[in-house]
């Protein structure tokens, strides 16, 4: 009977331990809204470049501040989120981080630290923003895809850039190509 009482006591102690509230973080402190405003690239670095060094701004986002504002006017309403429980990440910051990702090819981890936005959040923001940019601009930017139109683009590209049979180029993107060598061993 004494062993049963001891086991019952241990059982109650363990049950009490389970009732303690578990500490959960809604957002890690380094990714809080306050830290994003104080130290995030969107609210500091980009603003500084916009005010004092437009050349670096262009290098950073691959567009001028004027062009960014025009794009934000077009895409902003599509990517702006409403406040439900906490303040959402602004459309401007969403567009900044997406353009930086497109311009640099940085990993989402490095962008996460620079912009003070959790990586799992970025993994939703970037594809969503890219899709909205596409939906907003596809009819304004793309030509009617006919053979004659593409032929004219290729002729213009050859005339301007001296590249025949080409319809465009991508600027500022380095792509690493790895070659895999397959070793085959023959046993006799």
């Amino acid at each position: 009977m004494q062993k049963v009482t001891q086991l019952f006591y241990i059982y109650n102690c363990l049950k009490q331990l389970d009732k303690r509230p578990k500490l959960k973080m809604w957002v890690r402190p380094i990714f809080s809204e306050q830290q994003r405003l104080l130290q995030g690239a969107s609210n500091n670095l980009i603003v500084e470049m916009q005010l004092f060094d437009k050349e670096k701004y262009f290098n950073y986002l691959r567009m001028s501040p004027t062009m960014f504002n025009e794009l934000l006017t077009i895409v902003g309403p599509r990517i702006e989120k409403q406040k439900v429980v906490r303040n959402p990440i602004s459309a401007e910051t969403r567009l900044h981080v997406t353009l930086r990702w497109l311009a640099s090819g940085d990993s989402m981890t490095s962008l996460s630290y620079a912009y003070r936005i959790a990586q799992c959040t970025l993994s939703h923001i970037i594809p969503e923003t890219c899709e909205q940019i596409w939906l907003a601009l596809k009819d304004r930017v793309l030509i009617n895809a006919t053979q004659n139109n593409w032929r004219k683009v290729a002729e213009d590209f050859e005339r301007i850039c001296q590249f025949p049979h080409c319809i465009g180029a991508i600027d500022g993107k380095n792509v690493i190509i790895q070659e895999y060598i397959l070793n085959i061993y023959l046993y006799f």
Side-chain angles (χ1 to χ4, degrees):
M1 185 67 169
Q2 185 180 7
K3 288 195 180 215
V4 171
T5 307
Q6 287 175 344
L7 287 173
F8 184 74
Y9 177 75
I10 292 171
Y11 171 76
N12 280 334
C13 288
L14 291 174
K15 201 170 185 183
Q16 292 299 323
L17 287 175
D18 285 343
K19 288 183 181 179
R20 288 185 302 170
K22 292 187 174 33
L23 298 175
K24 291 184 179 180
M25 286 186 268
W26 186 271
V27 175
R28 287 188 180 273
I30 65 168
F31 299 132
S32 68
E33 182 180 8
Q34 181 181 6
Q35 288 301 104
R36 187 177 318 118
L37 294 173
L38 290 174
Q39 297 178 330
S42 190
N43 296 313
N44 294 296
L45 177 64
I46 293 177
V47 171
E48 185 178 343
M49 288 188 296
Q50 186 176 4
L51 294 173
F52 303 113
D53 197 343
K54 293 191 183 350
E55 186 179 320
K56 285 295 182 186
Y57 183 97
F58 188 90
N59 181 266
Y60 192 75
L61 293 177
R62 302 294 196 265
M63 65 177 56
S64 67
T66 306
M67 187 178 287
F68 176 84
N69 289 331
E70 287 178 30
L71 183 60
L72 184 61
T73 302
I74 296 166
V75 179
R78 293 170 170 259
I79 60 175
E80 188 71 45
K81 302 296 179 188
Q82 294 180 350
K83 180 179 178 178
V84 178
V85 175
R86 54 195 167 142
N87 292 331
I89 297 168
S90 70
E92 184 178 25
T93 300
R94 289 169 175 270
L95 191 54
H96 279 151
V97 74
T98 301
L99 292 175
R100 181 62 188 156
W101 182 76
L102 291 170
S104 69
D106 279 352
S107 70
M108 286 194 194
T109 303
S110 66
L111 290 173
S112 170
Y113 292 120
Y115 284 86
R116 301 292 182 137
I117 299 171
Q119 186 177 346
C120 60
T121 305
L122 282 181
S123 69
H124 294 287
I125 288 174
I126 292 173
E128 179 183 298
T129 306
C130 285
E131 182 179 0
Q132 293 308 318
I133 291 170
W134 166 253
L135 292 174
L137 297 180
K138 68 178 180 180
D139 296 330
R140 295 179 187 204
V141 175
L142 289 181
I143 63 170
N144 188 9
T146 64
Q147 244 183 1
N148 290 335
N149 286 345
W150 285 120
R151 191 171 284 121
K152 181 173 178 354
V153 168
E155 289 168 1
D156 290 345
F157 199 84
E158 182 176 1
R159 181 177 45 79
I160 295 167
C161 300
Q162 289 78 44
F163 279 105
H165 311 296
C166 196
I167 58 170
I170 299 173
D171 180 41
K173 186 70 177 171
N174 294 322
V175 179
I176 298 171
I177 299 174
Q178 289 182 326
E179 182 179 329
Y180 293 97
I181 300 172
L182 179 62
N183 293 321
I184 300 174
Y185 296 98
L186 298 175
Y187 294 99
F188 295 101

